[in-house]
Amino acid sequence: MSGEFFVTGSGLVSLPLIGEVKAAGLTLGQFQTAVQAALSDGYLKEPRVNAEVLTFRPFYILGEVTKPGTYPYNGGPDGV
């Protein structure tokens, strides 16, 4: 089973079979472990979960700056 899922404003991800899983405040590895644990609790024998962040929310620059506005988040020099 695969797909794109979104984190809600309350920090939850709604997934098939298991419902909502907390994502806020967790690393990707911790989130994957939480999903694996939920899936192995009565649904799958040995679930393998892989998650990645596709998009980040933008950030805003306001005030007396040269270019105020909305900017996309880039994770580092290579944009990851």
Side-chain angles (χ1 to χ4, degrees):
M1 155 174 48
S2 66
E4 291 183 17
F5 304 96
F6 299 92
V7 180
T8 66
S10 58
L12 301 172
V13 177
S14 183
L15 299 168
L17 301 177
I18 57 176
E20 293 183 330
V21 177
K22 176 188 168 194
L26 301 178
T27 65
L28 238 106
Q30 292 169 329
F31 175 71
Q32 289 175 166
T33 301
V35 173
Q36 280 179 315
L39 285 170
S40 64
D41 187 24
Y43 293 103
L44 301 171
K45 289 185 180 186
E46 294 181 32
R48 286 182 277 155
V49 175
N50 185 14
E52 65 181 293
V53 178
L54 297 177
T55 57
F56 294 89
R57 68 184 180 127
F59 63 95
Y60 305 91
I61 297 177
L62 305 171
E64 293 185 33
V65 294
T66 304
K67 292 184 176 183
T70 304
Y71 292 88
Y73 177 84
N74 291 322
D78 58 0
V80 177

